[in-house]
Amino acid sequence: MATLSMKTMMAALVAGSLAMTAGGTAFARADGAGMDPAKFQQRIEKRVDKALDGTTATADQKKKVTEILQAAFGDMKGTHAKRAEVRKALQEAMSAPTIDPAKIEAIRAEQVKMMDDSSKRFTKALIDAGNVLNAEQRQAFFKVWNERKHGPRKG
């Protein structure tokens, strides 16, 4: 039974670590270099314009939604270094001569807290942005916002 619990814990840690990495960072690129914050802010602006294109959204509404999302991504930028620290701590804990389940659990809990904090911040931004728009605009915005270059997100 202890083996199953350890396997389950390991699977959760690996999944959490992958989710933290794959969950992405607002300013990280695949090559490890940071994206220019000004370019990232412009990218958000373009995405908002695209998402609200063809709606009755005013320039003021677009500006407010853009500012809300830019602020949220800016707030979440600081978590990139922290996620890297947590991944390194997990690697070190798993590479130790003796596995310390309490230490690994603390690392897992930190990963979950960071994911939860990021999720709460982004959800708040989406709610705030949604409140700037009427129901029709909001529906059009979220339909386009959630699309990827290669089609809509699944799941």
Side-chain angles (χ1 to χ4, degrees):
M1 190 68 164
T3 304
L4 180 61
S5 295
M6 184 57 98
K7 284 182 181 179
T8 302
M9 185 173 18
M10 290 300 299
L13 283 168
V14 170
S17 183
L18 289 173
M20 292 291 288
T21 302
T25 58
F27 292 87
R29 294 191 334 208
D31 62 5
M35 178 181 274
D36 174 17
K39 286 184 182 178
F40 190 79
Q41 299 294 324
Q42 290 172 346
R43 206 165 136 196
I44 293 171
E45 187 174 347
K46 286 180 184 178
R47 239 178 125 184
V48 169
D49 283 341
K50 180 182 176 187
L52 290 173
D53 189 40
T55 69
T56 59
T58 66
D60 188 49
Q61 285 176 303
K62 289 179 183 181
K63 181 178 184 233
K64 286 179 184 176
V65 169
T66 298
E67 289 170 352
I68 289 166
L69 294 174
Q70 287 172 335
F73 280 109
D75 290 349
M76 292 186 300
K77 179 183 183 260
T79 62
H80 177 63
K82 181 66 177 165
R83 281 195 300 269
E85 290 173 17
V86 171
R87 281 191 307 271
K88 184 178 179 186
L90 177 61
Q91 181 180 5
E92 289 171 0
M94 294 307 301
S95 299
T98 304
I99 292 178
D100 180 351
K103 184 174 186 175
I104 293 170
E105 172 57 23
I107 294 168
R108 185 205 63 79
E110 181 64 21
Q111 286 178 320
V112 170
K113 183 183 180 314
M114 288 177 5
M115 287 186 289
D116 189 49
D117 290 348
S118 291
S119 176
K120 284 178 184 177
R121 178 62 182 103
F122 192 66
T123 299
K124 181 186 180 321
L126 292 178
I127 291 167
D128 292 347
N131 284 329
V132 171
L133 307 169
N134 66 37
E136 181 182 316
Q137 294 165 337
R138 193 170 47 250
Q139 290 168 1
F141 174 83
F142 286 107
K143 179 181 179 198
V144 176
W145 182 264
N146 287 321
E147 290 177 353
R148 291 185 177 180
K149 287 184 179 181
H150 305 292
R153 291 184 181 179
K154 294 180 174 57

